[in-house]
Amino acid sequence: MKVDVGNVVGNAEAKYDHPNPIARRLVAGFKRAVGDLYLRTCPESVLEVGCGEGLLADSLIRLRRPASFEACDVDLSRLAPGLDPHLSFKTASIYQLPHADRSVDLVLACEVLEHLEDPAAGLRELARVARSAVLISTPWEPVWRVLNLARGRYVRALGNTPGTSSTSRAAPCCAWPRPACAWSRCAGPCPGR
C-alpha cells in the first residue's frame, strides 16, 4: 500500500471489470450515472483526479472526445493496457494539482475522496482548478461494506475497503463542506440514490 501525504493508495480490487455479477451490475449503473453527467457538461477540457487504472477516463473519452483529457494519480503504475491514446496521464496529488485556477472545464474525482485524510482540502483543490463543473462520487456506505462482507471480502475490517479513511464515512458526499461551488445534482447507480 503506497501512502502519499494524507492520501492512501492501495485498493487493488478490479472494480470496473469485477467477476461478481452483482458488482458488475452496480458498477455498470455507476458508469452510466457518471457518463450521463459527463455528457451533460460537454467539456472541452477534462481532468480526472485519482484515475487508478485509467478505466473510467477511458470509458468517458469514448463517449465524447474533448479537446484535452488528462488523468492523474499519485501512482500511475496500475494503468491498464490499451487505454485510448488521446488520454494523457500525470503523477499528481489531489492536494496540489499542477493546474492554474479555473483552468479545466470539468474536474472528476470518482471514488477518491474516501481515501483522503482531509477531504475538505481535496474538495477545495478540485474547486480551485474547475472552470465549469466538478463531478465527484464516493461509495454508498454502509451498502458497500455489507456487499464486501457478503462476498467474503475484507472480513477482518468489517467490509471496509483497504485505504479508505474513517473521516469520509462520517457523512455522505452531498453533506460535506461545499467549497466555492454549489451542488447541482446528487446521483447514484441505484434507483432513489
Side-chain angles (χ1 to χ4, degrees):
M1 199 173 300
K2 180 177 177 175
V3 178
D4 180 40
V5 178
N7 183 4
V8 180
V9 179
N11 181 9
E13 186 79 25
K15 66 183 171 191
Y16 292 110
D17 56 357
H18 201 282
N20 181 295
I22 295 170
R24 276 199 315 270
R25 184 178 171 123
L26 289 169
V27 169
F30 163 78
K31 287 174 67 176
R32 200 169 30 258
V34 171
D36 289 347
L37 292 169
Y38 169 75
L39 291 172
R40 286 182 191 191
T41 64
C42 293
E44 285 306 312
S45 58
V46 180
L47 171 64
E48 183 189 6
V49 179
C51 68
E53 304 89 346
L55 296 173
L56 182 60
D58 188 67
S59 171
L60 295 175
I61 200 168
R62 292 172 193 273
L63 290 175
R64 180 183 181 280
R65 187 178 317 284
S68 70
F69 198 129
E70 179 183 306
C72 68
D73 207 320
V74 294
D75 180 7
L76 295 177
S77 67
R78 299 180 309 141
L79 288 176
L83 297 173
D84 190 290
H86 294 96
L87 292 169
S88 65
F89 295 92
K90 281 188 182 172
T91 301
S93 171
I94 191 172
Y95 297 118
Q96 206 168 27
L97 296 171
H99 292 276
D101 294 358
R102 300 181 50 77
S103 61
V104 181
D105 290 335
L106 173 63
V107 179
L108 301 159
C110 294
E111 313 301 301
V112 172
L113 297 176
E114 68 275 11
H115 296 278
L116 305 179
E117 289 190 20
D118 189 354
L123 282 169
R124 282 191 298 274
E125 187 66 356
L126 298 174
R128 180 188 70 76
V129 302
R131 180 178 14 250
S132 302
V134 176
L135 194 160
I136 58 175
S137 75
T138 58
W140 183 16
E141 297 290 357
V143 171
W144 288 116
R145 291 178 74 163
V146 170
L147 289 171
N148 280 338
L149 287 170
R151 60 192 184 101
R153 301 293 297 184
Y154 318 124
V155 174
R156 286 187 180 162
L158 299 175
N160 189 37
T161 305
T164 57
S165 165
S166 60
T167 59
S168 68
R169 291 188 305 275
C173 175
C174 295
W176 286 355
R178 299 171 182 184
C181 58
W183 298 106
S184 64
R185 182 162 183 232
C186 214
C190 300
R193 282 280 304 140

